[in-house]
Amino acid sequence: MVYRPLSAPRSASRPASARPAKSAFPHDFVWGAAAAAYQIEGAGKEGGRGPSIWDHFSQTPGNVFEDHNGNVACDHYHRWREDVRWMKRLGLDAYRLSVSWPRILPRGTGRANARGLAFYDRLIDALLEAGIQPWVTLYHWDLPLALQRRGGFQNRDLVEWFGDYAEVVVRRLGDRVRHWMTINEPPVIVGLGMQQGIFAPGQTLSFAHCLKAAHHLLLAHGRAVQAIRATCRLPAKISLAHTGRERIPASRSVKHREAARADTFRCTERNFDNLAWWADPMLLGRYPDDGLKAFAADLPRIRTGDMALISQPVDFLAYNCYSGFPIRAGAGGQPERVPGGWGVGNPRGTLSWLQVAPEAPYWAARFLHERYGLPVVFTENGVCTTDFVHLDGKVHDPQRIDFLSRYLGSIARARREGIPVEGYFYWSILDNFEWAQGYKDRFGLIHVDYATQKRTPKDSFTWYREVIRRRGVGL
Ligand code: FCB
């Protein structure tokens, strides 16, 4: 691999009369970074917050790497002013945060916690004052524990619980927040949390029960879209943050491309990584036929009106994109994984699933846009590397810079081909609590020393700041 730093703006080396360097990214392209409540806030028992399924799960020994938990995390609940200052220095157009449901409704339903709402109120004001647009996710995995005890996603009442919660949040913040994501990454919620039990709430339910939870999740999304539309005082832009592992055509030939496309939306495996199982109902108003056939024996009851609720119109396609693997057309054109994937030794993040696959965002944007017709925003992308404060007091992370350079180059390619990618959020602004991996894996543009809470911008922070300043020229 060739290290490709951000090249000098072409205009710099050309005579003054030459045309200025052109960016593949329009001026209003949204350059952002993201984080989520449980991963950074800490203050688990402060400000009237109730417990969530992640508190319970991470405080149960054996569930998380070295029994880490989010009790303190990055202490963002107390240090948000400093964190917003860093974001301003970075030059972000937008910051994607999530609101903690148990901070707003400590028992999941009922009376709102004024101190919880006040926290987000102040944060949103500070962001806007810093010239940063808040993009808000309503549910990034921290279900109030009280609701889990009432059946969680198994209980169809969840649809109304979530709708009511959405209304409370949007009533308070909807005079300043325009961009909303209802739910983050359904495959993780149901697949890792309820089928495999490796994330909270740590269940290993039958496939039929998981499908039921999935249906309730989609209904809850639809109900929240209604609540946002009815309550937001600004013209809302809404999505749900999807994710997947991208299928990348093994070569440029049409047959491999069509195999990769078919595999991207194939829905026959008994797991929750089937993107179309989530995205088709929302965006096309129906579950995919192959899934209905393959899962026939386990399907939940779908009531009249369900599909209409699930498919409330949304405005963009939020997508979290990290990795991918090569697909080729096998016998009879059937898609198959290229044996051996990218080959032995292909670069990875410190999380082994994070194989570096720079074409992933290009193919994600292309296949998603071609099927669903919406503009795409990458609401997460990033890499975890072994970052530490070096003897010179700095955090040198050239791998992250190289990763970003490649992935952003791939988004530039999509844009040059006319695919409407409208924004990019780096995951994450800060190192943080990486779920079942605890604090082992570091994704941040800013290094966090968890013992002192000292923030140190990494080299990638400076690099990304330059990307934003140049509005993507040179990528
Ligand atoms: C995504 C999650 C996010 C973070 C990154 C690495 O699946 O949405 O919270 O953990 O992975």
Side-chain angles (χ1 to χ4, degrees):
M1 285 193 164
V2 187
Y3 175 58
R4 189 157 70 88
L6 188 64
S7 52
R10 280 181 218 129
S11 53
S13 55
R14 287 183 181 183
S17 60
R19 295 223 325 256
K22 238 181 103 121
S23 173
F25 300 90
H27 204 74
D28 60 359
F29 186 85
V30 178
W31 294 101
Y38 189 71
Q39 296 180 274
I40 62 168
E41 284 181 6
K45 291 193 177 147
E46 285 178 59
R49 178 184 179 275
S52 78
I53 55 173
W54 266 96
D55 293 292
H56 183 70
F57 184 80
S58 62
Q59 288 164 18
T60 307
N63 284 336
V64 173
F65 176 78
E66 291 182 349
D67 290 338
H68 297 168
N69 59 51
N71 294 0
V72 178
C74 307
D75 196 30
H76 175 72
Y77 185 76
H78 298 113
R79 293 168 196 265
W80 56 273
R81 286 187 189 81
E82 177 185 353
D83 293 338
V84 172
R85 277 200 296 276
W86 281 116
M87 292 178 207
K88 187 174 179 186
R89 256 174 248 167
L90 182 55
L92 290 183
D93 299 322
Y95 167 54
R96 176 176 176 233
L97 65 130
S98 81
V99 169
S100 157
W101 188 344
R103 213 178 266 299
I104 302 301
L105 298 168
R107 303 187 48 74
T109 57
R111 262 174 71 101
N113 170 32
R115 285 180 290 167
L117 284 167
F119 169 69
Y120 293 107
D121 226 16
R122 288 192 292 265
L123 176 59
I124 299 293
D125 281 346
L127 287 165
L128 290 171
E129 233 163 80
I132 300 167
Q133 286 298 317
W135 288 44
V136 174
T137 307
L138 290 168
Y139 185 67
H140 203 124
W141 309 350
D142 44 0
L143 189 73
L145 189 58
L147 296 185
Q148 183 62 33
R149 300 214 158 119
R150 292 165 72 184
F153 283 79
Q154 288 302 304
N155 188 339
R156 194 173 159 118
D157 289 348
L158 175 103
V159 179
E160 291 307 315
W161 299 336
F162 189 58
D164 292 348
Y165 156 64
E167 198 181 313
V168 171
V169 175
V170 178
R171 195 171 296 289
R172 184 60 175 259
L173 306 179
D175 57 339
R176 285 155 291 159
V177 176
R178 186 186 300 261
H179 294 91
W180 299 93
M181 282 136 290
T182 54
I183 295 174
N184 186 65
E185 296 190 355
V188 176
I189 296 172
V190 178
L192 303 193
M194 301 174 200
Q195 188 183 34
Q196 299 178 40
I198 55 176
F199 275 20
Q203 296 170 313
T204 47
L205 302 175
S206 69
F207 193 58
H209 279 104
C210 290
L211 285 175
K212 187 169 150 190
H215 190 60
H216 293 162
L217 183 155
L218 287 168
L219 289 165
H221 154 79
R223 181 69 194 80
V225 175
Q226 288 181 333
I228 299 168
R229 294 257 186 252
T231 318
C232 193
R233 275 181 267 164
L234 298 175
K237 299 271 187 203
I238 310 176
S239 185
L240 171 151
H242 289 280
T243 193
R245 295 277 169 270
E246 276 25 271
R247 273 65 168 182
I248 298 170
S251 81
R252 283 170 177 264
S253 88
V254 175
K255 72 177 184 188
H256 294 322
R257 186 183 72 214
E258 290 317 308
R261 184 200 307 278
D263 203 56
T264 297
F265 300 108
R266 192 163 60 92
C267 191
T268 50
E269 310 262 329
R270 290 171 75 80
N271 65 37
F272 292 89
D273 298 335
N274 296 303
L275 175 62
W277 192 255
W278 302 109
D280 280 17
M282 258 185 69
L283 302 169
L284 305 178
R286 54 174 193 274
Y287 280 111
D289 288 338
D290 56 350
L292 288 173
K293 206 165 142 210
F295 309 154
D298 295 304
L299 288 177
R301 191 169 143 229
I302 299 170
R303 298 187 195 166
T304 320
D306 280 5
M307 299 318 289
L309 178 57
I310 292 171
S311 59
Q312 297 296 303
V314 294
D315 306 283
F316 65 104
L317 212 153
Y319 197 75
N320 299 347
C321 178
Y322 288 90
S323 191
F325 48 84
I327 289 285
R328 68 184 184 194
Q334 285 305 307
E336 64 183 27
R337 277 188 181 222
V338 173
W342 299 117
V344 174
N346 184 63
R348 296 173 192 258
T350 52
L351 282 163
S352 62
W353 58 261
L354 213 167
Q355 288 240 27
V356 178
E359 283 185 79
Y362 169 80
W363 289 105
R366 180 163 167 180
F367 287 154
L368 287 166
H369 179 67
E370 285 173 354
R371 187 176 180 92
Y372 300 116
L374 287 173
V376 174
V377 174
F378 287 106
T379 39
E380 284 183 30
N381 168 251
V383 66
C384 42
T385 51
T386 306
D387 306 327
F388 51 89
V389 181
H390 289 213
L391 286 171
D392 62 0
K394 299 184 176 155
V395 181
H396 303 294
D397 58 343
Q399 280 100 342
R400 181 168 290 103
I401 294 173
D402 186 77
F403 176 99
L404 271 168
S405 174
R406 288 171 199 274
Y407 275 62
L408 288 172
S410 161
I411 296 173
R413 176 183 169 202
R415 284 210 49 95
R416 287 195 187 96
E417 291 181 16
I419 301 164
V421 181
E422 296 186 342
Y424 174 87
F425 289 75
Y426 180 77
W427 180 274
S428 174
I429 183 71
L430 301 167
D431 290 340
N432 61 61
F433 177 79
E434 179 46 39
W435 309 113
Q437 299 307 319
Y439 298 98
K440 178 172 79 60
D441 298 292
R442 293 179 179 271
F443 276 91
L445 294 169
I446 300 173
H447 179 275
V448 177
D449 177 332
Y450 297 109
T452 61
Q453 292 296 345
K454 183 171 161 37
R455 274 80 165 132
T456 307
K458 302 180 189 176
D459 288 354
S460 57
F461 177 101
T462 311
W463 186 88
Y464 188 45
R465 189 181 63 194
E466 200 50 22
V467 169
I468 299 174
R469 199 182 63 76
R470 295 189 198 175
R471 309 308 296 175
V473 172
L475 289 169

